[in-house]
Amino acid sequence: MRTSNASGWADSSKTHTQMGSSAVVMPLDISFQDVPYTKAVEDAVVRQADRLDNACAQIVRCRVSLIRSQKYCPHGPSVSVRLDLMTGRQQHISSSTSNEDVHAALQDAFTQLANELKSPNYIGR
């Protein structure tokens, strides 16, 4: 499902399933704010979320927001990625990643969150 409204938001909600199985892995919500929707970007988000889900089985929900920055940048506008990841008892947020390339911003955000989940300081294991 993807919707768009006058404020420039487009939402894509997915519930992905494990390959070869009908078991629900986690709900995945993707929103685009002033970032053009493309199937390639949506597929990249789903691939990254699948990798994260394989690394941590306790993920309950993943929300991904892609937001075009309104600030002036000499190389062009950047895209910020915010991840809201809900686990059994904790919520992890990675919101400090931005890049001019949406795919690089996605990679950075998911890598940062995966490293946090692998950290020995992470209590939710």
Side-chain angles (χ1 to χ4, degrees), residues 42-62:
E42 182 179 3
D43 290 344
V45 170
V46 171
R47 277 193 310 274
Q48 292 288 340
D50 283 340
R51 287 186 195 134
L52 199 58
D53 191 41
N54 291 335
C56 179
Q58 298 176 353
I59 297 174
V60 177
R61 173 180 219 79
C62 183

Side-chain angles (χ1 to χ4, degrees), residues 23-93:
V24 172
V25 176
M26 78 171 144
L28 175 63
D29 298 323
I30 307 167
S31 65
F32 298 80
Q33 182 181 8
D34 298 328
V35 175
Y37 170 83
T38 64
K39 181 71 173 147
V41 171
E42 182 179 3
D43 290 344
V45 170
V46 171
R47 277 193 310 274
Q48 292 288 340
D50 283 340
R51 287 186 195 134
L52 199 58
D53 191 41
N54 291 335
C56 179
Q58 298 176 353
I59 297 174
V60 177
R61 173 180 219 79
C62 183
R63 291 183 181 149
V64 181
S65 301
L66 297 104
I67 304 162
R68 170 98 38 201
S69 175
Q70 300 300 325
K71 295 179 182 177
Y72 173 75
C73 181
H75 303 289
S78 64
V79 175
S80 296
V81 175
R82 177 181 172 92
L83 298 178
D84 295 319
L85 184 70
M86 306 290 275
T87 61
R89 294 186 176 170
Q90 298 181 356
Q91 179 179 14
H92 306 276
I93 300 173

